[in-house]
Amino acid sequence: MKNRYDAVVIGAGLGGLSAATLLARRGFSTLLLEQHNIPGGYATSFVRGRYEFEVALHELSDIGSDSRPGVLGKYLKYLGVRDKVEFVQIPELYRSVFPDLDMTLPRGREAYVDTLCKAFPHEEKGIRRFMKRVFDLAREVDDFQKVQSGKIGDVISVAVSAPFKLRAIPRYLFSTWEEVMARDISDIKVRAVISQYWGYFGLPPSKISFFLFALALASYIAYGPAHIRGRSQALSNAFIERFEELGGEVCFNCGVSKINSNSGKVTGVVTDDGREYLADIVVSNASPIATCRDMLGVDNIPPAYFKKMRSNEVAASSFNVYLGLACSPEAIGATSHEVFVNENFNYDSHYALFDKVAAPYQMVVTTYNTIMPEISPPGTSMLVLTTLCSSKGWEALEPEKYVDAKNMVAGAMMEKAEKVLPGLRREVEVVEVATPLTNMRYARTTGGSIYGFSNTPFNHTVLRLPAMGPLKGLFFVGAWVQPGGGYSPAMLSGQMAGEFISRIYGKKKGRS
Amino acid sequence: MALDFCGISKGLSDYARQLRKRLALRKEGQGFDYTGDNWRRRVEKIVDRIHPEKMHLRLNEIIDETLSARTLRFIREDAALPPFRAGQYVNLYIEIDGVITSRAYSISSPPGLAYIDLTIRRKQNGFVSNYLLDRAGIGDRFVSSGPAGQFYYEPLLNSNELVFIAGGSGITPFMSILLDFKSRNWPVKTHLIYGSRVLDDVIFKDKLNELSWDNTQLNYALALTEASEDFPVTGFISADLIRAHVGDLSDKTFMICGPNAMYDFVLKQLEHLGVPQHKIKRELYGPPEHVETEAGWPENVKATDCFEIEVVGQKKITASAGEPLLNSLERNGLKVRSLCRSGECSYCRAKLVSGRVFMPAHTGLREADRNFGYIHTCVAYPLSNMKIKL
């Protein structure tokens, strides 16, 4: 192994994988270092008995179809990763279950809006108006992004039309989802159903950025959700294979303890076992907090950067119960991929429990067999119960009480899941429970966060920390920075960093 | 046009209002001072209390159990022992005559004590076990993994009547579990069938008798294959024996720990008795001892065949087909991370660049790893010359 590279990427999460592969494709000699023994970060799987569980992915956005690819689909094609992975389309968005309401929301704008209007005729006007806001914003952002193509025609057309078209962006940039929703919809049931995806972004509608939520929801509705044949691990492994084909070098079981810097410039990294690699470009998939605090050292970072981070809170973590059932999905009535189970219509009541170790009011029950029957052996099913919480309650717990606490929450969730899947508990063959501390253990993520910094109206998409770090040559990727948390944004963050680096360091050998 | 203009002005005033809000917020900060010492290595500090990657242990006491088995009692020197679930194991890293290797041993003491016990039995040609029995002395220092493994009683799914089937040194996790049940007063009824060769070989003989003496929750039976003065021959742990000892088998959870040969036998008996597969939990027990007898082993390769293994960027070694690749790598001084050494945990995962290996059918390899050409070296046996990447 050499000890000098153009770029070193710390962490093989989706952001790191994406950045490393793009840099390798642009001709940078790149070294990818990962502390765990497998690539993916949260985009992995694990084996228990005869089951292999998907760790994190519920629904992947922005893939689209071959004929109409989404932004992520196009990017993966460009990298040469797209053809190594098979994406499986999920036939509907989600099923939403409340104490006295049970509905399934379909893909496609018209179908989605019509379904809502049919169920809530008294709110039809408001629903249509609100969904128009959502899609107007998405279209505007889409138009605006044409500038990035660099084609002179696109730039001119955007520049000329912008003053007349750009209305939604400034209007909604700093709004919460609930603020905007309140203008059009008053029925809390409609609000709860439309906002059901909030769990995918880590904050309740009263706190989440409208801008972010609207773009994401519009993409899910327009392009439809997808999953990956062979689970997330297949995507992560495909990245590694492509990265190595492009000449990149990867090292697992290889954590980074230090980033070296000299007069405001990064110069290389030191691994946990003391190996040193020199590079002018260091891309960190670790949180900016851990990167600056632990790898670089507070003294080497301009204080202004810490101030910038100060207004950002670490986002929610997750609590997962992975279940292998010794029965077919039909036997317990599991027919939808993604079922949100809510105890009430008040999302804030669930958010109020985030910092506690307690049974949640909302969770999502995912049955992977419905879209990928082969994911577990014949006659069995593979389910995951997911809810959001912060790491605070779990961090404060006495170590001796950890197992009992996680079983208490998991047991309560399994009981609640029986409401939609009667007989579930009788059939459980394998169970594994993952808390925020589990996220911290395997991915080394600050606070076990699954979305980096919180997506508040003041810290979302373009308002997040940029890829460019506080030192020359230092870049960030992953959920913590632009464009944000989630599978697709994490991969797109790698694209943003890679594009910046290509522009600054000017190497565009363009390997194919 | 006029309408558009209204839109812009409305948009801009909204924007200005919100921008002021944002600037004010940034000025105040929200009090997350990430420069503070409480944020320093925060993740590691929290995780290490529950799941330490490594533990520094000192051998504090050696207790003779039988002629062939001893309990080594360790205390942890670098921090307090983490909590663990009765039935879990630690992987003991060890250097013997210049070879750095490791072995996983179930903890035989219950959680919550100031020490952990590893009960080790002599094995023919046991590289590590025999070293620990013959050469380890009180005061010796060791490094181990944190507690790991999934062989424990899981109240979330296991019924409250359990059947434990142990063979030889496979009794060790059950000892921990039974002592834990007792100290926590778990409302669980346990049937334990312990198979051994002769009475003298029975580990924890007195302890088990004592535990079951006045305990209606533990129904204990010994099954010996050779007679002695004090005990009649009972033979292998057969279907008849299981039924006679346990009675009604429905709605019971079976946990099995013992040598791989015992699994083959006992699993067949349970199948015969109609115990569904999903009610049976088996502990890992290292790589198969005679891999050439495993289903799927190719006829044209003998266990004694040797092949050349190129480790990309490191060196070329020779490895025999009958030995796990991980062991061959370690013997040649290559560092490989390992934990379970039974094919499950993926710590020793490596990329197979070219060549062929054999891995037993129950290896816990991820589907994507299988498709992209990765192997778990602890249960991978070379079938040809090959090239791997660690």
Side-chain angles (χ1 to χ4, degrees):
Chain A
M1 222 169 201
K2 319 185 281 186
N3 73 340
R4 173 169 271 292
Y5 293 84
D6 292 337
V8 172
V9 179
I10 304 168
L14 288 172
L17 287 168
S18 158
T21 310
L22 180 56
L23 288 176
R25 197 187 182 292
R26 294 279 165 84
F28 290 82
S29 73
T30 309
L31 174 67
L32 174 57
L33 302 172
E34 166 59 42
Q35 52 91 18
H36 200 13
N37 55 59
I38 39 163
Y42 295 138
T44 58
S45 64
F46 66 94
V47 176
R48 290 285 181 275
R50 50 181 177 154
Y51 300 89
E52 182 186 340
F53 292 101
E54 164 67 47
V55 165
L57 182 60
H58 288 248
E59 296 186 347
L60 183 59
S61 59
D62 302 331
I63 287 293
S65 59
D66 283 335
S67 52
R68 186 168 159 260
V71 46
L72 181 63
K74 282 183 210 160
Y75 173 58
L76 292 179
K77 183 110 202 152
Y78 169 77
L79 287 182
V81 172
R82 175 72 184 81
D83 296 335
K84 293 179 184 290
V85 195
E86 187 193 336
F87 292 104
V88 180
Q89 297 296 326
I90 301 169
E92 73 278 320
L93 293 188
Y94 54 85
R95 182 177 151 204
S96 225
V97 179
F98 292 88
D100 58 347
L101 182 71
D102 185 343
M103 61 189 296
T104 300
L105 280 301
R107 299 157 66 119
R109 178 174 175 178
E110 229 166 278
Y112 184 89
V113 175
D114 287 350
T115 305
L116 281 171
C117 292
K118 222 178 192 174
F120 307 103
H122 57 288
E123 287 273 20
E124 175 163 1
K125 253 185 167 166
I127 292 168
R128 291 196 188 279
R129 201 162 52 222
F130 180 67
M131 291 314 292
K132 187 170 177 301
R133 290 184 206 271
V134 169
F135 280 95
D136 281 353
L137 176 68
R139 203 192 48 229
E140 210 171 284
V141 172
D142 238 21
D143 286 350
F144 198 59
Q145 276 174 341
K146 275 190 202 150
V147 186
Q148 286 186 346
S149 73
K151 281 185 200 139
I152 198 78
D154 286 341
V155 177
I156 291 172
S157 84
V158 170
V160 169
S161 63
F164 306 103
K165 274 187 168 170
L166 276 184
R167 284 186 297 170
I169 293 176
R171 194 160 176 198
Y172 299 127
L173 196 62
F174 299 127
S175 305
T176 67
W177 177 257
E178 198 181 62
E179 272 166 19
V180 181
M181 200 162 52
R183 296 179 195 177
D184 303 320
I185 299 165
S186 50
D187 187 341
I188 52 163
K189 293 186 181 181
V190 188
R191 289 191 194 180
V193 173
I194 291 189
S195 311
Q196 191 71 80
Y197 269 142
W198 75 264
Y200 282 13
F201 310 102
L203 281 177
S206 53
K207 306 225 180 280
I208 186 96
S209 149
F210 173 83
F211 194 89
L212 169 92
F213 200 152
L215 293 186
L217 182 62
S219 170
Y220 272 119
I221 293 174
Y223 292 98
H227 211 282
I228 302 157
R229 178 93 58 207
R231 310 164 191 78
S232 300
Q233 194 68 59
L235 175 63
S236 303
N237 282 11
F239 265 112
I240 290 291
E241 187 172 90
R242 183 65 185 141
F243 175 62
E244 290 189 312
E245 280 171 11
L246 292 165
E249 284 180 54
V250 57
C251 188
F252 297 108
N253 297 310
C254 202
V256 169
S257 55
K258 191 165 180 269
I259 300 172
N260 287 330
S261 66
N262 189 4
S263 50
K265 265 168 68 177
V266 297
T267 56
V269 303
V270 182
T271 64
D272 285 340
D273 54 8
R275 274 175 287 167
E276 195 175 341
Y277 297 103
L278 305 174
D280 292 336
I281 303 164
V282 172
V283 181
S284 177
N285 195 178
S287 75
I289 302 168
T291 308
C292 295
R293 184 73 194 73
D294 297 334
M295 297 181 197
L296 276 154
V298 175
D299 300 339
N300 293 318
I301 305 288
Y305 197 76
F306 276 108
K307 235 176 174 175
K308 227 175 178 178
M309 274 198 276
R310 227 183 141 90
S311 58
N312 296 329
E313 191 179 3
V314 175
S317 184
S318 60
F319 186 95
N320 285 295
V321 185
Y322 301 94
L323 298 169
L325 305 190
C327 71
S328 67
E330 297 79 31
I332 48 162
T335 48
S336 313
H337 172 73
E338 192 80 341
V339 184
F340 288 90
V341 182
N342 308 270
E343 231 146 274
N344 56 39
F345 291 99
N346 179 4
Y347 27 72
D348 289 317
S349 71
H350 177 49
Y351 180 66
L353 295 176
F354 265 33
D355 293 346
K356 302 199 175 89
V357 172
Y361 292 141
Q362 279 191 23
M363 65 173 176
V364 53
V365 180
T366 311
T367 311
Y368 290 96
N369 303 72
T370 58
I371 51 163
M372 292 180 279
E374 77 291 348
I375 201 158
S376 68
T380 68
S381 3
M382 201 186 95
L383 273 73
V384 182
L385 318 179
T386 303
T387 192
L388 295 186
C389 59
S390 87
S391 67
K392 285 183 193 133
W394 294 94
E395 287 184 16
L397 211 60
E398 303 275 325
E400 298 73 41
K401 295 187 180 141
Y402 179 60
V403 169
D404 289 342
K406 70 181 194 173
N407 278 2
M408 183 271 288
V409 177
M413 285 170 70
M414 286 162 69
E415 195 181 329
K416 285 169 200 266
E418 291 247 356
K419 270 179 221 155
V420 284
L421 305 174
L424 165 98
R425 278 182 296 175
R426 217 179 34 240
E427 302 291 348
V428 179
E429 173 182 344
V430 174
V431 61
E432 189 62 80
V433 182
T435 71
L437 301 190
T438 314
N439 293 352
M440 293 165 88
R441 177 186 182 188
Y442 289 107
R444 301 267 144 186
T445 321
T446 309
S449 169
I450 52 176
Y451 303 118
F453 289 118
S454 274
N455 282 300
T456 62
F458 303 105
N459 182 50
H460 64 82
T461 54
V462 289
L463 303 178
R464 289 171 90 81
L465 291 178
M468 219 121 37
L471 301 186
K472 192 161 181 256
L474 178 65
F475 297 85
F476 289 117
V477 292
W480 299 88
V481 292
Q482 295 181 17
Y487 266 57
S488 169
M491 285 181 260
L492 297 176
S493 77
Q495 182 187 25
M496 289 171 94
E499 292 290 355
F500 264 133
I501 293 168
S502 300
R503 221 169 293 153
I504 298 168
Y505 295 83
K507 272 198 192 175
K508 284 191 185 175
K509 292 183 195 165
R511 293 199 202 188
S512 57
Chain B
M1 195 73 174
L3 267 176
D4 271 336
F5 185 73
C6 289
I8 294 168
S9 63
K10 174 88 178 76
L12 282 180
S13 70
D14 270 2
Y15 183 84
R17 190 164 49 84
Q18 304 273 22
L19 190 66
R20 278 198 298 276
K21 226 159 103 185
R22 173 174 160 76
L23 289 174
L25 195 78
R26 170 153 294 175
K27 230 181 195 170
E28 290 164 24
Q30 284 183 338
F32 301 101
D33 182 7
Y34 298 118
T35 61
D37 211 49
N38 56 331
W39 287 95
R40 192 171 159 269
R41 301 197 72 74
R42 188 181 174 95
V43 170
E44 288 81 351
K45 275 191 252 175
I46 291 159
V47 171
D48 282 354
R49 296 189 312 158
I50 294 175
H51 297 296
E53 182 77 33
K54 288 225 162 89
M55 305 198 291
H56 290 266
L57 304 176
R58 198 170 72 98
L59 181 52
N60 211 35
E61 207 180 328
I62 300 177
I63 302 154
D64 286 331
E65 299 288 354
T66 66
L67 287 174
S68 62
R70 277 178 170 161
T71 291
L72 308 189
R73 182 160 291 174
F74 294 92
I75 53 168
R76 188 177 179 195
E77 295 194 307
D78 55 334
L81 280 166
F84 64 94
R85 297 181 81 160
Q88 287 192 305
Y89 66 84
V90 293
N91 194 26
L92 206 58
Y93 305 103
I94 198 163
E95 183 173 345
I96 305 173
D97 306 330
V99 177
I100 298 171
T101 182
S102 65
R103 290 295 181 275
Y105 295 104
S106 296
I107 302 170
S108 58
S109 54
L113 303 178
Y115 56 82
I116 52 168
D117 285 346
L118 305 183
T119 304
I120 290 150
R121 189 184 190 193
R122 188 171 300 282
K123 237 170 114 183
Q124 210 182 349
N125 303 324
F127 184 53
V128 178
S129 54
N130 294 352
Y131 170 90
L132 290 171
L133 290 171
D134 300 334
R135 288 159 68 183
I138 289 173
D140 284 3
R141 291 192 156 82
F142 294 86
V143 176
S144 80
S145 70
Q150 283 86 43
F151 192 68
Y152 42 72
Y153 164 70
E154 178 51 83
L156 283 176
L157 64 95
N158 296 152
S159 51
N160 47 13
E161 248 190 271
L162 305 171
V163 181
F164 291 171
I165 299 177
S169 61
I171 189 69
T172 51
F174 293 125
M175 199 65 218
S176 175
I177 297 173
L178 289 170
L179 290 170
D180 188 43
F181 281 170
K182 195 183 165 207
S183 73
R184 286 158 61 110
N185 251 327
W186 271 106
V188 182
K189 180 150 176 75
T190 318
H191 307 268
L192 168 66
I193 306 174
Y194 180 12
S196 194
R197 198 169 56 86
V198 290
L199 196 59
D200 285 346
D201 253 2
V202 174
I203 306 172
F204 306 132
K205 189 169 58 185
D206 298 338
K207 261 194 205 163
L208 285 168
N209 283 333
E210 213 175 285
L211 259 177
S212 61
W213 192 250
D214 55 2
N215 184 354
T216 51
Q217 297 290 78
L218 175 61
N219 171 25
Y220 165 52
L222 199 54
L224 299 182
T225 52
E226 278 179 30
S228 63
E229 278 177 25
D230 310 322
F231 206 90
V233 179
T234 23
F236 287 120
I237 302 174
S238 64
D240 289 344
L241 193 149
I242 295 169
R243 188 182 291 289
H245 182 67
V246 181
D248 180 21
L249 299 177
S250 61
D251 206 33
K252 294 196 170 54
T253 304
F254 288 73
M255 293 176 73
I256 315 178
C257 182
N260 288 311
M262 185 192 97
Y263 286 134
D264 296 342
F265 185 80
V266 170
L267 289 175
K268 257 189 217 119
Q269 306 301 308
L270 292 179
E271 195 186 326
H272 184 71
L273 289 166
V275 177
Q277 203 194 335
H278 70 270
K279 293 282 183 196
I280 305 169
K281 201 166 178 175
R282 53 174 280 189
E283 174 60 318
L284 314 169
Y285 211 81
E289 280 138 65
H290 301 287
V291 69
E292 68 279 11
T293 61
E294 290 280 308
W297 179 266
E299 276 175 26
N300 57 347
V301 181
K302 287 196 288 290
T304 48
D305 288 353
C306 279
F307 298 107
E308 195 169 80
I309 319 290
E310 184 189 339
V311 184
V312 175
Q314 302 198 43
K315 60 168 146 182
K316 267 188 188 161
I317 66 162
T318 308
S320 95
E323 189 179 40
L325 187 55
L326 175 61
N327 298 30
S328 305
L329 293 167
E330 287 173 339
R331 188 160 331 97
N332 286 280
L334 287 155
K335 267 195 198 165
V336 189
R337 234 173 134 206
S338 67
L339 181 64
C340 76
R341 301 187 78 102
S342 301
E344 286 272 311
C345 75
S346 89
Y347 269 48
C348 64
R349 174 185 187 267
K351 171 112 186 178
L352 181 64
V353 181
S354 66
R356 288 183 307 127
V357 297
F358 174 82
M359 284 187 281
H362 57 79
T363 304
L365 200 65
R366 294 173 177 89
E367 182 189 337
D369 276 355
R370 202 176 289 276
N371 293 342
F372 283 86
Y374 289 87
I375 56 174
H376 291 179
T377 56
C378 67
V379 291
Y381 297 79
L383 296 177
S384 71
N385 291 338
M386 52 194 250
K387 207 166 156 183
I388 63 165
K389 216 182 137 239
L390 291 178

